[in-house]
Amino acid sequence: MTGAELDTALARCVAAGDAVRMEGFSFHLSGYAVPPRVELAAALLDRCLAARTMGLQADRISIGGGFAVDYCAPADWYAFLAAQRPGHYHADRTFDPAGFYPYHSPVAGADALRAVLAGTTATGMDRAPRTLADRLRDTGTLLLLEPGRALLAGAGASVFRIQGVKDRAGYAIVTVDGTSLSLSEQWFNSEFLPQPVLVGPDGRATGDAAHPTCVGGASCLESDLLTWRKVPFPRRPQPGDLLVYPNTAGYQMDSNESPFHELPLPPKVVLDRTDGRPRWRLDRRPAP
């Protein structure tokens, strides 16, 4: 909404009386930079204070989401960005490096929230800049946010069984019992770059040579690839092997898989390590 539209909306809230409870303002930004969030949060705080003078509640702001997850070391991330090229992907596909999720983020998770709260904003020509946290506290304003995948950083793994292997010039394509909808980076024309681990029925994960392999899904779509990148597995994949993608709890989006594929939603296995030795159980939804 533009500034003029916000003014009109507030006037209508006042006119509506008790029929409308105007609680505050919100925004949602793309990317993960801290300064724009601090700047907009401060602007919304000023909006709240002005709305209160009109008799409206206006006691909270939402800065949306999300907070980044730091998946890898900075040296590994920057080396990948510098080296990646179309030949590293099936069909010589190109990816815009700017479109990748920032798999290394210098400020991530709870540290990102700390940075936002510690950000300073000017409060008038005759007053020194103050932190956003101080302004929220002094004005009694509640901060709402959507941390997104940062809430589950380091947790979860997605496991796919290999159904078939097709050899191509210098690499292989494996088909797994899942679809690209299970790893939502493909929704954003990107890749889920943390490398999957290849595990055989006997637990064997290594061999004596590198076997570049990309990973296709089980649907009829040519675009249904979980991994376009030719991952150098330490041995040749075989039907029945498992592919384990790490750290996917925050963005495993299989709940949105299309029912017309007639694929059951993957079961969820919960590992419980709170009482001595690890235990596992299936995570079942209660009956309605």
Side-chain angles (χ1 to χ4, degrees):
M1 300 173 72
T2 65
E5 289 169 337
L6 285 173
D7 291 339
T8 298
L10 290 177
R12 291 181 178 179
C13 288
V14 172
D18 294 339
V20 172
R21 185 174 68 251
M22 188 277 167
E23 296 183 341
F25 298 89
S26 67
F27 67 80
H28 189 94
L29 291 177
S30 297
Y32 300 93
V34 169
R37 283 168 168 73
V38 176
E39 181 181 350
L40 269 180
L44 293 195
L45 218 169
D46 291 339
R47 282 272 179 186
C48 283
L49 297 179
R52 292 177 199 177
T53 65
M54 302 170 66
L56 300 172
Q57 178 178 327
D59 62 357
R60 64 201 64 197
I61 62 172
S62 171
I63 63 173
F67 294 138
V69 172
D70 191 24
Y71 286 88
C72 65
D76 295 334
W77 175 234
Y78 296 126
F80 168 80
L81 291 178
Q84 67 103 23
R85 60 181 187 272
H88 291 159
Y89 303 95
H90 172 61
D92 289 333
R93 180 170 178 176
T94 58
F95 286 96
D96 179 2
F100 284 132
Y101 183 87
Y103 284 95
H104 165 67
S105 179
V107 181
D111 287 339
L113 175 58
R114 293 187 184 97
V116 170
L117 291 173
T120 57
T121 60
T123 57
M125 294 182 61
D126 57 344
R127 300 181 62 184
R130 306 182 64 218
T131 68
L132 180 64
D134 286 339
R135 292 198 64 199
L136 290 167
R137 186 184 301 111
D138 293 348
T139 59
T141 305
L142 182 67
L143 179 70
L144 307 177
L145 50 96
E146 301 168 23
R149 70 175 77 187
L151 286 175
L152 294 170
S158 297
V159 183
F160 302 92
R161 179 175 285 104
I162 293 177
Q163 296 178 322
V165 183
K166 296 181 179 181
D167 291 316
R168 289 293 180 265
Y171 69 104
I173 302 176
V174 301
T175 304
V176 298
D177 59 350
T179 74
S180 56
L181 295 178
S182 294
L183 295 171
S184 68
E185 301 296 358
Q186 299 293 353
W187 291 13
F188 308 114
N189 196 33
S190 182
E191 278 270 272
F192 185 77
L193 293 173
Q195 186 157 313
V197 176
L198 177 67
V199 180
D202 58 357
R204 186 169 65 96
T206 61
D208 55 3
H211 292 265
T213 305
C214 57
V215 184
S219 75
C220 61
L221 300 175
E222 292 184 9
S223 60
D224 185 16
L225 269 79
L226 283 79
T227 301
W228 289 79
R229 185 165 54 97
K230 300 169 186 176
V231 177
F233 290 125
R235 64 172 177 83
R236 189 179 190 278
Q238 300 292 332
D241 287 347
L242 302 178
L243 282 183
V244 183
Y245 285 80
N247 204 354
T248 60
Y251 254 57
Q252 181 177 338
M253 303 292 284
D254 55 70
S255 61
N256 289 306
E257 289 193 38
S258 182
F260 72 79
H261 291 304
E262 298 184 357
L263 294 173
L265 293 181
K268 301 293 189 299
V269 177
V270 178
L271 295 178
D272 188 346
R273 305 178 64 178
T274 60
D275 185 20
R277 66 184 181 89
R279 300 175 182 274
W280 71 272
R281 60 179 172 82
L282 288 177
D283 185 20
R284 301 183 184 277
R285 292 183 178 180

